[in-house]
């Protein structure tokens, strides 16, 4: 529908879909538990937007990325934020410069991924590269410590001096009630 209305081109949709398929396969390879089986089979192409993916290349690329993820996982997490250490960008690639523009001390990794429109792996790999080049540094996040209020010792509602007086007052009330109820029956 988007292609027919001229909003996007077939190639753009094919590129996005191919990227999503690759990212899904890579996520599957990252599973720590479970089993899966790959069965090659012919999948009929969509008549409007045919997508052709080399499955062998996709599998090899997925395994390579899973190996590299192990190196990335120890250095950053999705909630890591960064600060810039230098403004010199002369030695950076265009990809690194693009990601560096999104680092402001507030955006965490997941926000940078969302804003950039790139996949998790590409952004994370670029961030690790920027860390290794000394351009950015992870911002130390202070742990959230709940404010503890001083414990107040509550005084009992009735002190030991009031209890005997309360007992006497209740006794007098019961006595008066019995007098009124007895006189009403006569």
């Amino acid at each position: 529908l988007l292609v027919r209305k001229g909003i996007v081109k077939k190639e753009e949709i094919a590129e996005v879909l191919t990227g999503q398929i690759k990212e899904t396969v890579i996520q599957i390879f990252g599973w720590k538990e479970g089993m899966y089986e790959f069965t090659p089979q012919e999948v009929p192409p969509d008549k409007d937007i045919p997508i052709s993916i080399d499955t062998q290349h996709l599998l090899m690329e997925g395994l390579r990325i899973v190996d590299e993820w192990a190196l990335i996982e120890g250095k950053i997490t999705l909630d890591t934020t960064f600060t810039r250490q230098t403004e010199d960008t002369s030695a950076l690639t265009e990809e690194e410069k693009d990601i560096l523009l999104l680092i402001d001390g507030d955006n965490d990794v997941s926000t940078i991924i969302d804003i950039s429109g790139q996949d998790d792996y590409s952004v994370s790999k670029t961030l690790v590269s920027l860390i290794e080049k000394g351009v950015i540094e992870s911002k130390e996040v202070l742990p959230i410590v709940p404010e503890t209020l001083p414990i107040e010792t509550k005084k009992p509602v009735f002190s030991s001096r009031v209890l005997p007086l309360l007992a006497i007052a209740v006794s007098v009330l019961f006595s008066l009630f019995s007098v009124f109820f007895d006189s009403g029956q006569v």
Side-chain angles (χ1 to χ4, degrees):
L1 185 64
L2 294 172
V3 172
R4 285 186 203 134
K5 290 192 175 205
I7 297 173
V8 294
K9 297 177 183 174
K10 283 184 182 182
E11 296 79 21
E12 293 172 334
I13 292 181
E15 183 181 331
V16 169
L17 290 175
T18 302
Q20 287 178 341
I21 292 169
K22 286 181 181 178
E23 193 167 337
T24 301
V25 169
I26 292 165
Q27 287 175 353
I28 290 171
F29 283 158
W31 290 351
K32 303 291 183 213
E33 293 182 26
M35 294 176 48
Y36 52 90
E37 180 180 327
F38 175 71
T39 307
Q41 60 185 3
E42 190 72 27
V43 177
D46 184 282
K47 62 182 178 182
D48 291 328
I49 303 175
I51 296 177
S52 176
I53 297 177
D54 179 7
T55 53
Q56 184 175 2
H57 173 73
L58 179 61
L59 293 173
M60 295 305 290
E61 180 75 4
L63 291 172
R64 181 188 66 77
I65 289 173
V66 168
D67 286 342
E68 290 183 18
W69 260 120
L71 301 173
I72 293 172
E73 285 179 327
K75 297 181 181 177
I76 62 173
T77 61
L78 289 175
D79 60 347
T80 304
T81 56
F82 298 98
T83 56
R84 293 183 190 193
Q85 298 302 304
T86 181
E87 293 299 321
D88 181 23
T89 60
S90 59
L92 301 180
T93 65
E94 286 303 313
E95 191 174 86
E96 290 171 333
K97 289 177 184 177
D98 290 343
I99 296 298
L100 185 60
L101 291 174
L102 303 175
I103 296 173
D104 62 0
D106 291 326
N107 292 339
D108 60 11
V109 174
S110 63
T111 304
I112 293 170
I113 291 168
D114 291 342
I115 295 171
S116 72
Q118 298 180 27
D119 62 275
D120 299 8
Y121 171 72
S122 299
V123 172
S124 299
K125 184 177 175 184
T126 303
L127 289 170
V128 169
S129 174
L130 290 170
I131 291 170
E132 291 171 351
K133 290 180 178 181
V135 178
I136 62 172
E137 183 178 86
S138 62
K139 184 177 173 183
E140 187 173 332
V141 179
L142 298 175
I144 298 173
V145 179
E147 184 180 330
T148 55
L149 300 173
I151 300 173
E152 293 182 23
T153 54
K154 293 185 178 181
K155 295 180 181 179
V157 177
F158 299 109
S159 68
S160 56
R161 294 181 190 158
V162 176
L163 283 176
L165 292 174
L166 184 61
I168 293 170
V170 169
S171 301
V172 170
L173 285 175
F174 279 124
S175 302
L176 291 174
F177 281 129
S178 62
V179 170
F180 288 119
F181 285 122
D182 288 339
S183 64
Q185 292 179 358
V186 178

